[in-house]
Amino acid sequence: MSRKTRIRLGMPGRFKEAEVSLPDREPDPWDIEADLRVVGRRIPRVDGPDKVSGRARYTFDLQIPGMLHGAILRCPLPHARLKRIDTALAETHPGVRAVLVLEAKEYPYAGCEVAAVAADTLAAAEEALRRIKVEYEPLPFVTDPDRARQPGAPAVRPSGNVEPTVSTRRGDVEAAWRSSDAVVEAVFRTPVALHACLEGHGSLAKWDGDQVTLWDSTQAVFDVRDSLAKALGIPADKVRVIKDHAGGGFGSKLQMRSYSPIAARLARKAGAPVRLLLNRRDDFLATGNRHSSVQTVKIAGKKDGTLTALSWKSYGTGGTEGGAQTSGPIPDLYRFPSLRIEEEDVFTHAGPACPMRAPGHVQGMIGLEGAIDELSEKLGLDPLEVRIKNDPSDLRREEFKLGAARFGWKSRRPSGTSPGPRKRGMGVAGSTWDGSGIPGPRVEIKLHARGGVDLYCGTQDIGTGTRTLLAQVAAEELGLRVDDVSVHLGDSYFPYSILSGGSLTAASVTPAARSAAADARRALLDRAAAVLGVRAEDLKTSRRRVAAPGGKVIAWEEVLRQVPGGTLAGVGERAPNFSGYHRGTAGCQFVEAEVDVETGQVRVLRVVAVHDSGRVVNPLLWESQVNGGILQGISFALLEERVMDHRFGKVLNPNLEAYKVIGALEVPEIEIHPFPVAAGFNNTQVMGIGEPAIIPTAAAVANAVANALGLRIYDLPLTPDKILDALEAAAARRT
């Protein structure tokens, strides 16, 4: 059954009432301007004290009685076939309890799993690995994507190294080139980047009879459960996956990795629990990466700033995996009457790629926003005005205007006119992402006569503050304080939830929590009505009391004591999206950067970010997400690159000493402005912010550097050597 209700959609000053259809027991969406008691407040993380005191338990912290330590032997060659393996010396090494030779007989990249060992200590396991004798047959390999595209390159797959993925056309691009006032073409390159999670990848497996429990640092408790069951050939109900706290994932933990079934198989063979944690080198080699891209972008426009056409040809490598698309934001971010998109995956003998925060969008914005800046320069126009003129989103147009005012965009100098050896420049870029959430997550809430409220959900908090968001939503609906709600997450024995990735979690799980709280509240008031002899719809509840007309009040505990077992439960399930306001979030960021032309060093001085994501449940956590996205984007623009020696097919920087990520000294001044929007897709009106926060950053940094120097470096990261080379080449052209 469903019912109709009216809600306000849109942005402040432009709200419009709309009728939406809701499931019968679904709470009405909170109005975007409703003055709520708990939701919308800057409440510190409920698990903050546990994290700063060390009480929070990560997979890497776990120690259980009788636990063994696992380690994996990896293929050192970029492409090889197994000829012979001898594990005799490893099996007799003191402390070794199990040795496993894995099924694969051919290894497509350096870092593939060959064998594994479980031992009493990690040192014994690692020594046993060194005692395994392996004879490999080296095979032809290719790790350079440009070479992999050439005829005769060593084959990564039988079907070929190049696979077309996207082909889209609208309008007449060739005619648009001829009729436009300016045309710009450039090739933009972005590198392979690594997730570099604070907590690496790893599992602890323990068998009890025919059931296995896996503690895993994951973004997808239920997906890991199902994948592990399939890998082990057992029913899913024989697998329990637990994840308490996780030190980040950024997409690299969205699927089960090979170490999980290896840990389970070692544990079964040894008859003891096995903890298998990857070291940073193995983590960087085998658990995913952000794919590279080579984007050939051709763009055209009119003298008045109207964009007329875009041609987008892109390829990239995800190593042995595909998914190297970059054109996700291209068709919709700006209007192009004529558009042509062609993309290819290039397969190489390198570690497999996987989703990384806003996959493809971060890379794609480098080419798109860089090309718009170059075209604007050629037309003699302000690049911000060109964006606003061609942006189909009324939200983002207003956000561009707000950001420009806060940032001081009018003080931007013409490119290349900043004086002195430390030249300053300004850049801007837009963002687009869905973030409206999906149905499926379930939540159960229990009210106890002994006091306290427990909330159960199988979702996982990967460090984004999900526990706190759910506690706030439940407390709001039940008229409680946040401290009154204990949140239990990260267990496949809890109600089902979806993976945590793609900015899905908050928009998908908070509505289920609110529905469960409303259900529990209804059950409580029904019981109280019977006790008080009034109608349930006349009752109100807050602060663990129920009030009836006429001043009669009864405590929750008194009602709940009359319930068998002393506990009332409410359940909620995330409903399909309602017909909301705007499909997707907008957003934009402005960057001021300084480039030292004597050293080539780039320093980001200031970032102004404007983002919308529906209702903000907790501004403190929301700003934390935006801050994190901006810092990760700056790191991608200036520092991060997996360096591969293509002669030997090996990664040269599989550690955090040589693979550079942003540090405290590189953090700029960041000013964040939430842009309120009544999105209307669910009962909390929440939209995701994890991905949108990183999408425009690197592009805005690259545009700021180009504005400072008066020339563009097309190959990320923007390292000092590339900047000095570009300046030297420009000087040579002038003489």
Side-chain angles (χ1 to χ4, degrees), residues 8 11-13 15 30-36 615 676 678 685:
R8 293 195 304 163
M11 65 180 101
F15 287 124
W30 282 320
D31 186 88
I32 195 67
E33 293 183 319
D35 185 20
L36 304 178
R615 174 177 289 283
Q685 300 235 39

Side-chain angles (χ1 to χ4, degrees), residues 400-486:
F400 273 134
K401 293 172 187 174
L402 172 62
R406 299 286 186 176
F407 183 74
W409 180 258
K410 287 184 177 177
S411 64
R412 178 179 182 268
R413 295 186 180 92
S415 292
T417 62
S418 176
R422 292 185 176 180
K423 299 185 180 302
R424 293 192 174 189
M426 294 180 177
V428 62
S431 171
T432 182
W433 190 260
D434 187 335
S436 57
I438 59 176
R442 299 170 190 153
V443 171
E444 181 178 26
I445 290 178
K446 293 182 177 179
L447 316 180
H448 303 291
R450 56 175 164 73
V453 172
D454 287 307
L455 182 154
Y456 298 90
C457 180
T459 190
Q460 43 284 308
D461 189 338
I462 57 174
T464 54
T466 303
R467 284 181 174 83
T468 308
L469 299 182
L470 295 183
Q472 285 183 258
V473 168
E476 183 72 49
E477 188 67 27
L478 291 167
L480 300 175
R481 301 172 307 168
V482 168
D483 292 346
D484 294 326
V485 183
S486 298

Side-chain angles (χ1 to χ4, degrees), residues 376-396:
S376 302
E377 290 277 341
K378 194 167 183 177
L379 290 168
L381 299 173
D382 181 334
L384 176 61
E385 293 303 321
V386 171
R387 286 176 172 82
I388 292 173
K389 184 178 182 66
N390 294 277
D391 194 328
S393 166
D394 54 348
L395 282 179
R396 197 167 35 250

